[in-house]
Amino acid sequence: MNELVFVGLGLHDEKGISLQGLEEAKTAEKAFIELYTSLLPDFSIERLEALTGKKVHVITRHDLEEENGKLILDAAEKGKTVFLVPGDPFIATTHVTLRIEAEKRGIKTRIIHGASIISAIIGLSGLHNYKFGKTVTIPFSENASETPYNVITQNKQLGLHTLCLLDIKTDQKRYLQINQALTQLLDVEQKRKMGTATPETVAVGIARAGSNAPALKADTIKNLLTFDFGEPPQSLIFPGELHFMEAEALITLAGAPASLRSVAK
Amino acid sequence: MNELVFVGLGLHDEKGISLQGLEEAKTAEKAFIELYTSLLPDFSIERLEALTGKKVHVITRHDLEEENGKLILDAAEKGKTVFLVPGDPFIATTHVTLRIEAEKRGIKTRIIHGASIISAIIGLSGLHNYKFGKTVTIPFSENASETPYNVITQNKQLGLHTLCLLDIKTDQKRYLQINQALTQLLDVEQKRKMGTATPETVAVGIARAGSNAPALKADTIKNLLTFDFGEPPQSLIFPGELHFMEAEALITLAGAPASLRSVAK
C-alpha cells in the first residue's frame, strides 16, 4: 500500500518515540529521518536502527526544501514509508508542504504524534496552557528584529504569557542561548521603553525540556543573564498576568523570588 | 528513592506512551493512572498492565481534587511512583498542584512528556503553530458563556487562529460535539453581531486526533453543522488571517472550499 506515515520522535533521545510510532517504523518498507528542525541532544540513529530493525535514511534540509522531498515521495509511492521527525511532526511547518504534496500524488498520509516542545515547556513551567498567547521565535543576533519584543508586548497587554523558542542552526551546531536572547530584548527595550523587557522584568528560562535533567529558573532578567542553564536546547517564557497558583508554581518549581506572590491575582 | 514521575500517555490508546514512559512504569514500585481529564477512546488498562507487567491503580477526580492526591504522594514518599496521565501531563492544570505538593514534601518529580491534543490538532490542521493565539474551551450549553466568542474575536482582530477545545465530562460519558459548540457560537453571534461566527464563517472541525482515522473538515459553519464527524473527542479551530500555504493545506487536507485561496495572503 502506498502510504506515508509521519512519526514524531518526541524530545530528547530515541526513547521519545511512542510504542505505535516504533511499530509503524518496524512494519514500513522504507524509513527516513530528519534531525535538522530541532535538536534531540541524546539521539542516536544507530540505537534507533537497532530498535526498528531497519536502516533509517537521513534526509537533509536540501533534500526536503530544494528537492521537495522527492526521495520520500518516490518511496511512499512504492510502499509504506515512515518519515521520522523530532517533536510532533507538523510543528515544523516545512513538513506540511510534504504532506500536501503526498496527498496531491494520491499517497495516503497518517500522523503518529510525539511530544512537542510547545506543550513540554508550558508543562514544565507550571503555567496554565490557556493563558498563553502567540508563540514567537527569537532569531540569532545577525537576524535580530523587533518582532519578538512586539509579540511579548502585545501578549502582556492582553495579560497573556509568551513562549519564546530560541533559534537553532543544527547544521552549524549553533543554538541561541537564553542570555543572548535576553540581551537582544534588553537592547530593543532601550529603544522602545515600553517596560516589556527591563532588567527587573521576571522571565522563565528552560533548558533541555524532555531530558531527565531539565533546567528551569524564573527570575529577573538581570539575574537570568548570569544563570548557568547548561547545554541546549534552551527556551524562554515571558509571563503575563499570573494566577496565584501560577506564581506558586514558579516559586516552588522554578525558584522564582517569593515577591511574585504579591503581583499574582 | 522517593520520586514521582509523571508520564504522558499521548492521545488515543495505550500505544501512545513513549518507550521511556513505558520503562519508567516498568521500573516503578507503584503505578497510578487517571483517565478523567481527557478521553483516550481506545485505551485499555488491562493492555497497559500487560505492557508494564504491573497493577495500575485508577485515580478518580475525587482522589486528586478532594484528597489532594494523598494516595499518590504517600506512595511516592516510600519509593519510585509513576502517575500516568492522558496527553502531555501538565496541559491539565490540576496536575500542577500535585507536582507542587510533591516538591514541597521533598519528593523529586520528573516528567516524561507525551503527545498533546494541542500540538496534535494544530499539526493535523496544517495551520502554522506560531499563528495561534490564546486557546479556549467551549463548555456544555448549561454553562454557556460569551468567553469563547470573545477569545475567537480577539484572536481574529490580531489575525490569529483560535484552538477551541470542547468540554468533556468523562464520568458521565458526555463529550461536547462540534455542531453543539457551533450552535452556541451562532447564538452569541445573534446578540453580538461582530461577524465572528456567522453561518458563512469558515471553521475547521477535527475529531479523534491521534487515532488512525481522524476526521478533518474545513467549511462554513452552516455546512459543518450537518457534517458527520463521528465519535468524540472533537475540537474546533477558527482561522484568523491565512497564509497562502495554510489555505492550500485546508483545501488539500481538510476539503475546504477552493474560494479560501482568494482570502489568503
Side-chain angles (χ1 to χ4, degrees):
Chain A
M1 185 169 67
N2 62 351
E3 186 181 32
L4 177 54
V5 186
F6 293 85
V7 176
L9 291 169
L11 294 169
H12 183 73
D13 62 21
E14 65 284 349
K15 291 190 282 186
I17 195 171
S18 68
L19 302 189
Q20 188 180 352
L22 185 62
E23 254 183 47
E24 299 286 352
K26 281 182 179 173
T27 57
E29 292 184 27
K30 204 137 188 187
F32 296 92
I33 191 169
E34 67 86 0
L35 294 167
Y36 74 85
T37 55
S38 295
L39 170 66
L40 297 177
D42 247 343
F43 189 86
S44 148
I45 291 187
E46 293 70 30
R47 288 196 300 261
L48 182 72
E49 289 179 334
L51 285 168
T52 58
K54 59 165 49 71
K55 173 81 188 149
V56 177
H57 304 270
V58 179
I59 288 291
T60 64
R61 184 188 294 270
H62 179 85
D63 291 332
L64 212 56
E65 296 178 16
E66 306 300 319
E67 306 287 338
N68 303 315
K70 191 172 180 309
L71 280 171
I72 298 172
L73 293 168
D74 288 353
E77 279 185 334
K78 297 197 188 83
K80 177 174 165 178
T81 299
V82 296
F83 184 30
L84 301 145
V85 174
D88 200 12
F90 296 105
I91 294 308
T93 54
T94 175
H95 301 324
V96 179
T97 313
L98 181 65
R99 184 164 149 232
I100 292 173
E101 191 54 34
E103 292 280 346
K104 283 186 174 169
R105 285 207 201 183
I107 299 164
K108 192 173 166 263
T109 61
R110 278 191 298 130
I111 310 172
I112 312 300
H113 297 281
S116 167
I117 189 75
I118 306 293
S119 60
I121 291 174
I122 293 173
L124 270 169
S125 73
L127 298 175
H128 294 170
N129 171 58
Y130 64 89
K131 288 183 62 189
F132 278 77
K134 185 177 157 76
T135 296
V136 72
T137 295
I138 302 183
F140 287 103
S141 56
E142 66 267 28
N143 302 315
S145 88
E146 296 192 3
T147 301
Y149 184 94
N150 293 339
V151 171
I152 298 166
T153 305
Q154 187 183 73
N155 282 335
K156 279 200 184 189
Q157 284 166 349
L158 300 168
L160 301 176
H161 313 320
T162 309
L163 170 55
C164 304
L165 300 174
L166 306 193
D167 213 358
I168 62 169
K169 291 204 167 124
T170 41
D171 46 349
Q172 299 168 23
K173 296 201 193 309
R174 284 181 69 199
Y175 311 100
L176 189 70
Q177 294 181 330
I178 287 168
N179 57 6
Q180 296 170 319
L182 291 173
T183 302
Q184 279 185 40
L185 290 167
L186 288 170
D187 286 350
V188 182
E189 178 67 41
Q190 291 278 326
K191 278 193 276 182
R192 300 285 300 282
K193 299 193 188 302
M194 299 187 71
T196 300
T198 74
E200 301 305 326
T201 301
V202 172
V204 188
I206 295 133
R208 299 176 306 288
S211 77
N212 274 328
L216 175 64
K217 180 67 183 169
D219 208 335
T220 56
I221 289 183
K222 184 178 67 187
N223 290 340
L224 290 180
L225 282 174
T226 56
F227 187 87
D228 181 10
F229 282 97
E231 297 295 307
Q234 302 185 352
S235 313
L236 272 169
I237 293 172
F238 277 80
E241 279 171 24
L242 289 171
H243 183 269
F244 76 96
M245 278 305 298
E246 295 184 303
E248 210 54 42
L250 291 183
I251 293 165
T252 310
L253 307 173
S259 58
L260 262 195
R261 278 197 192 100
S262 62
V263 299
K265 286 176 184 179
Chain B
M1 185 169 68
N2 61 350
E3 187 181 30
L4 176 55
V5 186
F6 293 84
V7 176
L9 290 170
L11 294 168
H12 183 72
D13 61 21
E14 64 286 349
K15 291 190 281 186
I17 195 171
S18 69
L19 302 190
Q20 188 180 352
L22 185 62
E23 256 184 45
E24 300 285 353
K26 281 181 179 172
T27 57
E29 292 184 28
K30 204 138 188 185
F32 296 92
I33 191 170
E34 68 86 358
L35 293 167
Y36 73 85
T37 56
S38 295
L39 170 67
L40 297 177
D42 248 343
F43 189 86
S44 148
I45 291 187
E46 293 69 30
R47 289 196 300 261
L48 182 72
E49 289 180 333
L51 286 167
T52 59
K54 60 165 49 73
K55 173 79 187 149
V56 177
H57 304 269
V58 179
I59 287 290
T60 63
R61 183 189 295 271
H62 179 84
D63 291 331
L64 213 55
E65 296 177 16
E66 306 300 321
E67 306 286 337
N68 302 316
K70 190 171 181 309
L71 279 170
I72 298 173
L73 294 169
D74 287 352
E77 278 185 335
K78 296 197 189 83
K80 177 174 165 178
T81 299
V82 297
F83 184 31
L84 301 145
V85 173
D88 200 11
F90 296 106
I91 295 307
T93 53
T94 176
H95 301 324
V96 178
T97 313
L98 181 65
R99 184 164 150 232
I100 292 174
E101 190 54 34
E103 292 281 346
K104 284 186 173 169
R105 284 207 201 183
I107 300 164
K108 192 171 166 264
T109 62
R110 279 190 298 130
I111 310 173
I112 312 301
H113 297 280
S116 166
I117 189 76
I118 305 293
S119 61
I121 291 173
I122 293 173
L124 270 169
S125 74
L127 297 175
H128 295 170
N129 172 57
Y130 64 89
K131 288 183 61 190
F132 278 77
K134 185 176 157 74
T135 295
V136 71
T137 297
I138 302 183
F140 287 103
S141 57
E142 65 266 29
N143 303 314
S145 87
E146 296 192 2
T147 301
Y149 184 94
N150 293 338
V151 171
I152 298 166
T153 304
Q154 186 183 71
N155 282 334
K156 279 200 184 189
Q157 284 165 349
L158 300 167
L160 301 175
H161 313 320
T162 309
L163 169 54
C164 305
L165 301 174
L166 307 193
D167 212 358
I168 62 170
K169 291 203 167 124
T170 42
D171 46 349
Q172 299 169 23
K173 296 200 193 309
R174 284 182 70 200
Y175 311 99
L176 189 69
Q177 294 181 330
I178 287 169
N179 57 7
Q180 296 170 319
L182 291 173
T183 302
Q184 279 186 39
L185 290 166
L186 289 170
D187 286 349
V188 182
E189 178 67 40
Q190 291 278 326
K191 279 193 274 181
R192 301 284 301 282
K193 299 193 187 302
M194 300 188 69
T196 300
T198 74
E200 301 305 325
T201 302
V202 171
V204 188
I206 296 134
R208 299 176 307 288
S211 77
N212 274 329
L216 174 65
K217 179 66 181 171
D219 208 336
T220 56
I221 290 182
K222 183 178 68 187
N223 290 339
L224 290 181
L225 282 174
T226 56
F227 187 85
D228 180 11
F229 283 96
E231 296 296 306
Q234 302 185 352
S235 314
L236 272 169
I237 293 173
F238 277 80
E241 278 172 24
L242 289 171
H243 183 269
F244 76 96
M245 278 304 298
E246 294 184 305
E248 209 54 42
L250 290 183
I251 293 165
T252 311
L253 306 174
S259 57
L260 262 195
R261 279 199 191 96
S262 61
V263 300
K265 285 176 184 178

